[in-house]
Amino acid sequence: DHHFHYGYWIFAGAALKELDPTWERMPELNKIITTLIRDTANSYIDNDAGFPLFRHFDWYSGHSSSHGLIPFFDGKDQESTGEAMNFLYSLMLWGQASGESDLEILGRLMMKVEKRSLGMYLLMEDSNMVHPEIVPNKVVGLFLENKVSYTTWFGDEREYIHGIQMIPISPILEFLRTETFVREEYEAIIQNLDIISDPDNHRGDPWQSLLFADSAVISKEVSMFQLSQSTMDDGLSQAWALYFAATRP
Protein backbone atom coordinates (compact mmCIF):
# COMPACT_ATOMS: atom_id res chain seq x y z
CA ASP A 1 0.00 0.00 0.00
CA HIS A 2 2.98 2.36 -0.29
CA HIS A 3 1.50 4.44 -3.10
CA PHE A 4 -1.85 4.72 -1.30
CA HIS A 5 -0.20 6.09 1.82
CA TYR A 6 2.71 8.07 0.42
CA GLY A 7 0.45 10.09 -1.87
CA TYR A 8 -0.82 12.03 1.14
CA TRP A 9 2.71 12.89 2.28
CA ILE A 10 3.88 13.86 -1.20
CA PHE A 11 0.78 16.03 -1.71
CA ALA A 12 1.45 17.81 1.60
CA GLY A 13 5.10 18.24 0.68
CA ALA A 14 4.21 19.73 -2.70
CA ALA A 15 1.79 22.18 -1.08
CA LEU A 16 4.39 23.27 1.46
CA LYS A 17 7.05 23.64 -1.22
CA GLU A 18 4.72 25.78 -3.32
CA LEU A 19 3.60 27.99 -0.42
CA ASP A 20 6.90 28.32 1.45
CA PRO A 21 9.80 27.38 -0.85
CA THR A 22 12.38 29.05 1.41
CA TRP A 23 11.37 27.10 4.55
CA GLU A 24 14.49 26.45 6.58
CA ARG A 25 13.96 22.66 6.59
CA MET A 26 13.25 22.41 2.86
CA PRO A 27 16.46 20.45 2.11
CA GLU A 28 15.33 17.82 4.62
CA LEU A 29 11.84 17.73 3.11
CA ASN A 30 13.33 17.37 -0.39
CA LYS A 31 15.27 14.31 0.73
CA ILE A 32 12.26 12.71 2.42
CA ILE A 33 9.85 13.23 -0.48
CA THR A 34 12.42 12.14 -3.06
CA THR A 35 12.92 8.91 -1.11
CA LEU A 36 9.16 8.26 -1.04
CA ILE A 37 8.98 8.81 -4.80
CA ARG A 38 11.97 6.53 -5.44
CA ASP A 39 10.27 3.83 -3.38
CA THR A 40 7.01 3.95 -5.33
CA ALA A 41 7.62 5.42 -8.79
CA ASN A 42 11.35 5.13 -9.34
CA SER A 43 12.16 5.93 -12.97
CA TYR A 44 15.96 6.12 -12.69
CA ILE A 45 16.93 3.17 -14.83
CA ASP A 46 20.72 3.45 -14.67
CA ASN A 47 21.69 5.08 -11.40
CA ASP A 48 19.50 3.97 -8.51
CA ALA A 49 20.38 0.63 -6.97
CA GLY A 50 18.31 1.31 -3.86
CA PHE A 51 14.81 0.86 -5.32
CA PRO A 52 13.16 -1.11 -8.14
CA LEU A 53 11.61 0.54 -11.16
CA PHE A 54 7.97 1.51 -10.69
CA ARG A 55 7.38 -0.80 -7.74
CA HIS A 56 3.61 -0.38 -7.67
CA PHE A 57 2.78 0.33 -11.32
CA ASP A 58 2.29 -2.19 -14.12
CA TRP A 59 2.70 -0.42 -17.45
CA TYR A 60 1.31 -3.41 -19.38
CA SER A 61 -1.88 -3.58 -17.32
CA GLY A 62 -1.94 0.20 -17.08
CA HIS A 63 -2.72 0.55 -13.39
CA SER A 64 -1.34 0.36 -9.85
CA SER A 65 -1.38 -2.59 -7.48
CA SER A 66 -1.24 -2.54 -3.70
CA HIS A 67 0.95 -5.61 -3.24
CA GLY A 68 4.66 -5.40 -3.87
CA LEU A 69 6.81 -8.49 -3.50
CA ILE A 70 4.52 -10.27 -1.00
CA PRO A 71 3.14 -13.52 -2.49
CA PHE A 72 -0.65 -13.69 -2.53
CA PHE A 73 -2.81 -16.56 -3.75
CA ASP A 74 -4.97 -14.48 -6.11
CA GLY A 75 -2.21 -12.14 -7.18
CA LYS A 76 -1.76 -8.42 -6.75
CA ASP A 77 -4.82 -6.27 -6.19
CA GLN A 78 -6.15 -2.79 -6.72
CA GLU A 79 -8.81 -1.46 -4.36
CA SER A 80 -8.76 2.28 -3.65
CA THR A 81 -8.81 3.88 -7.08
CA GLY A 82 -9.03 7.36 -5.55
CA GLU A 83 -5.87 6.91 -3.50
CA ALA A 84 -4.06 5.43 -6.50
CA MET A 85 -4.89 8.52 -8.57
CA ASN A 86 -4.07 10.80 -5.65
CA PHE A 87 -0.54 9.41 -5.55
CA LEU A 88 0.02 10.13 -9.25
CA TYR A 89 -1.53 13.59 -8.88
CA SER A 90 0.83 14.26 -5.98
CA LEU A 91 3.76 13.07 -8.08
CA MET A 92 2.84 15.61 -10.75
CA LEU A 93 2.40 18.39 -8.16
CA TRP A 94 5.78 17.70 -6.58
CA GLY A 95 7.37 17.87 -10.02
CA GLN A 96 5.66 21.23 -10.62
CA ALA A 97 6.64 22.68 -7.25
CA SER A 98 10.22 21.44 -7.58
CA GLY A 99 10.72 22.56 -11.16
CA GLU A 100 11.39 18.95 -12.16
CA SER A 101 9.68 18.86 -15.54
CA ASP A 102 10.50 15.19 -16.19
CA LEU A 103 8.78 14.19 -12.95
CA GLU A 104 5.77 16.39 -13.71
CA ILE A 105 5.44 14.85 -17.17
CA LEU A 106 5.80 11.36 -15.72
CA GLY A 107 3.00 12.06 -13.25
CA ARG A 108 0.74 13.37 -16.00
CA LEU A 109 1.43 10.34 -18.19
CA MET A 110 0.79 7.86 -15.37
CA MET A 111 -2.48 9.62 -14.48
CA LYS A 112 -3.75 9.29 -18.05
CA VAL A 113 -2.73 5.64 -18.33
CA GLU A 114 -4.25 4.81 -14.94
CA LYS A 115 -7.51 6.62 -15.70
CA ARG A 116 -7.97 4.66 -18.91
CA SER A 117 -7.39 1.32 -17.20
CA LEU A 118 -9.52 2.10 -14.15
CA GLY A 119 -12.36 3.08 -16.44
CA MET A 120 -12.07 -0.27 -18.18
CA TYR A 121 -11.63 -2.55 -15.17
CA LEU A 122 -12.79 -0.92 -11.93
CA LEU A 123 -15.06 2.12 -12.41
CA MET A 124 -17.55 1.04 -15.02
CA GLU A 125 -19.93 3.20 -17.00
CA ASP A 126 -23.00 1.49 -18.44
CA SER A 127 -21.27 1.19 -21.82
CA ASN A 128 -18.42 -0.92 -20.37
CA MET A 129 -17.93 -4.24 -22.21
CA VAL A 130 -15.04 -5.65 -20.15
CA HIS A 131 -17.11 -6.82 -17.18
CA PRO A 132 -20.70 -6.73 -18.52
CA GLU A 133 -22.00 -8.93 -15.71
CA ILE A 134 -20.51 -6.59 -13.06
CA VAL A 135 -21.50 -3.26 -14.65
CA PRO A 136 -24.72 -3.04 -12.56
CA ASN A 137 -22.52 -2.79 -9.45
CA LYS A 138 -20.64 0.13 -11.10
CA VAL A 139 -17.42 -0.74 -9.23
CA VAL A 140 -15.49 -3.97 -8.83
CA GLY A 141 -14.40 -3.57 -5.20
CA LEU A 142 -11.31 -5.78 -5.14
CA PHE A 143 -9.63 -6.25 -8.50
CA LEU A 144 -7.08 -9.05 -8.27
CA GLU A 145 -5.07 -10.75 -10.99
CA ASN A 146 -7.05 -13.98 -10.63
CA LYS A 147 -10.49 -12.72 -9.64
CA VAL A 148 -12.71 -9.72 -8.87
CA SER A 149 -14.84 -9.38 -5.74
CA TYR A 150 -17.59 -6.90 -4.87
CA THR A 151 -16.23 -6.31 -1.37
CA THR A 152 -13.38 -4.63 0.52
CA TRP A 153 -10.67 -5.97 2.82
CA PHE A 154 -12.54 -4.55 5.82
CA GLY A 155 -16.21 -5.25 5.11
CA ASP A 156 -19.00 -5.94 2.63
CA GLU A 157 -21.18 -2.87 3.19
CA ARG A 158 -21.84 -1.11 -0.09
CA GLU A 159 -20.91 2.29 1.33
CA TYR A 160 -17.45 0.83 2.01
CA ILE A 161 -17.12 -0.67 -1.46
CA HIS A 162 -18.10 2.57 -3.21
CA GLY A 163 -16.81 5.07 -0.68
CA ILE A 164 -13.24 3.76 -0.72
CA GLN A 165 -13.10 4.65 -4.42
CA MET A 166 -13.81 8.29 -3.52
CA ILE A 167 -11.00 8.97 -1.07
CA PRO A 168 -9.40 11.38 -0.74
CA ILE A 169 -11.82 14.13 -1.78
CA SER A 170 -9.40 16.15 -3.91
CA PRO A 171 -9.34 18.22 -7.13
CA ILE A 172 -8.17 15.24 -9.20
CA LEU A 173 -11.30 13.26 -8.31
CA GLU A 174 -13.33 14.81 -11.13
CA PHE A 175 -10.59 13.74 -13.59
CA LEU A 176 -10.88 10.13 -12.45
CA ARG A 177 -14.63 9.98 -11.85
CA THR A 178 -16.48 11.39 -14.85
CA GLU A 179 -19.83 13.08 -14.40
CA THR A 180 -21.40 10.28 -16.43
CA PHE A 181 -19.99 7.64 -14.10
CA VAL A 182 -20.92 9.53 -10.92
CA ARG A 183 -24.48 10.03 -12.12
CA GLU A 184 -24.89 6.39 -13.17
CA GLU A 185 -23.42 5.11 -9.91
CA TYR A 186 -25.61 7.45 -7.87
CA GLU A 187 -28.81 6.42 -9.62
CA ALA A 188 -28.01 2.70 -9.57
CA ILE A 189 -26.48 2.34 -6.11
CA ILE A 190 -25.74 5.39 -3.96
CA GLN A 191 -29.22 6.94 -3.72
CA ASN A 192 -30.59 3.62 -2.45
CA LEU A 193 -28.17 3.30 0.46
CA ASP A 194 -29.77 3.94 3.86
CA ILE A 195 -27.18 6.56 4.82
CA ILE A 196 -28.19 8.59 1.75
CA SER A 197 -31.93 7.84 1.45
CA ASP A 198 -32.44 8.33 5.21
CA PRO A 199 -29.59 10.69 6.10
CA ASP A 200 -30.90 12.06 9.42
CA ASN A 201 -30.83 8.62 11.01
CA HIS A 202 -27.22 8.04 9.92
CA ARG A 203 -25.51 11.32 10.79
CA GLY A 204 -22.87 9.54 12.84
CA ASP A 205 -21.63 7.48 9.89
CA PRO A 206 -18.60 9.23 8.34
CA TRP A 207 -19.03 7.39 5.03
CA GLN A 208 -22.01 9.69 4.48
CA SER A 209 -19.69 12.67 4.03
CA LEU A 210 -17.77 10.97 1.20
CA LEU A 211 -20.88 9.91 -0.67
CA PHE A 212 -22.49 13.36 -0.48
CA ALA A 213 -19.24 15.10 -1.48
CA ASP A 214 -18.89 12.87 -4.53
CA SER A 215 -22.50 13.44 -5.60
CA ALA A 216 -22.06 17.23 -5.61
CA VAL A 217 -21.47 17.06 -9.36
CA ILE A 218 -25.16 16.05 -9.63
CA SER A 219 -26.63 18.57 -7.15
CA LYS A 220 -24.23 20.82 -5.30
CA GLU A 221 -27.01 22.48 -3.29
CA VAL A 222 -28.26 19.17 -1.86
CA SER A 223 -24.72 18.01 -1.19
CA MET A 224 -23.74 21.21 0.59
CA PHE A 225 -26.78 21.05 2.86
CA GLN A 226 -26.17 17.41 3.72
CA LEU A 227 -22.45 17.97 4.28
CA SER A 228 -23.26 20.74 6.74
CA GLN A 229 -25.11 18.13 8.80
CA SER A 230 -22.90 15.08 8.32
CA THR A 231 -20.09 13.63 10.41
CA MET A 232 -16.88 14.03 8.43
CA ASP A 233 -14.62 11.19 7.41
CA ASP A 234 -11.43 11.36 9.47
CA GLY A 235 -9.47 12.43 6.39
CA LEU A 236 -11.92 15.18 5.46
CA SER A 237 -12.67 18.56 7.01
CA GLN A 238 -16.11 20.12 6.72
CA ALA A 239 -14.61 23.32 5.32
CA TRP A 240 -12.91 21.46 2.48
CA ALA A 241 -15.95 19.23 1.84
CA LEU A 242 -18.19 22.29 1.47
CA TYR A 243 -15.67 24.07 -0.75
CA PHE A 244 -15.31 21.00 -2.93
CA ALA A 245 -19.08 20.67 -3.31
CA ALA A 246 -19.56 24.38 -4.00
CA THR A 247 -16.98 24.40 -6.80
CA ARG A 248 -18.33 21.47 -8.81
CA PRO A 249 -19.29 22.40 -12.39
Side-chain angles (χ1 to χ4, degrees), residues 23-35:
W23 183 47
E24 61 181 10
R25 297 182 63 187
M26 190 57 68
E28 182 182 353
L29 179 67
N30 289 339
K31 182 177 180 179
I32 292 171
I33 299 300
T34 298
T35 301

Side-chain angles (χ1 to χ4, degrees), residues 121-167:
Y121 304 131
L122 286 97
L123 306 176
M124 294 167 290
E125 295 183 6
D126 289 347
S127 58
N128 186 287
M129 297 301 294
V130 177
H131 298 301
E133 71 281 8
I134 305 176
V135 166
N137 290 340
K138 305 311 299 173
V139 302
V140 167
L142 289 177
F143 182 81
L144 297 101
E145 291 174 301
N146 291 340
K147 71 176 184 180
V148 296
S149 297
Y150 188 56
T151 187
T152 71
W153 290 115
F154 51 89
D156 297 330
E157 299 294 333
R158 286 189 296 171
E159 51 263 41
Y160 304 167
I161 300 169
H162 292 263
I164 196 173
Q165 314 301 333
M166 303 171 185
I167 59 173

Side-chain angles (χ1 to χ4, degrees), residues 10 21 57 95 124 136 141 146 173 214 228 230:
I10 298 170
F57 196 84
M124 294 167 290
N146 291 340
L173 206 60
D214 181 68
S228 71
S230 300

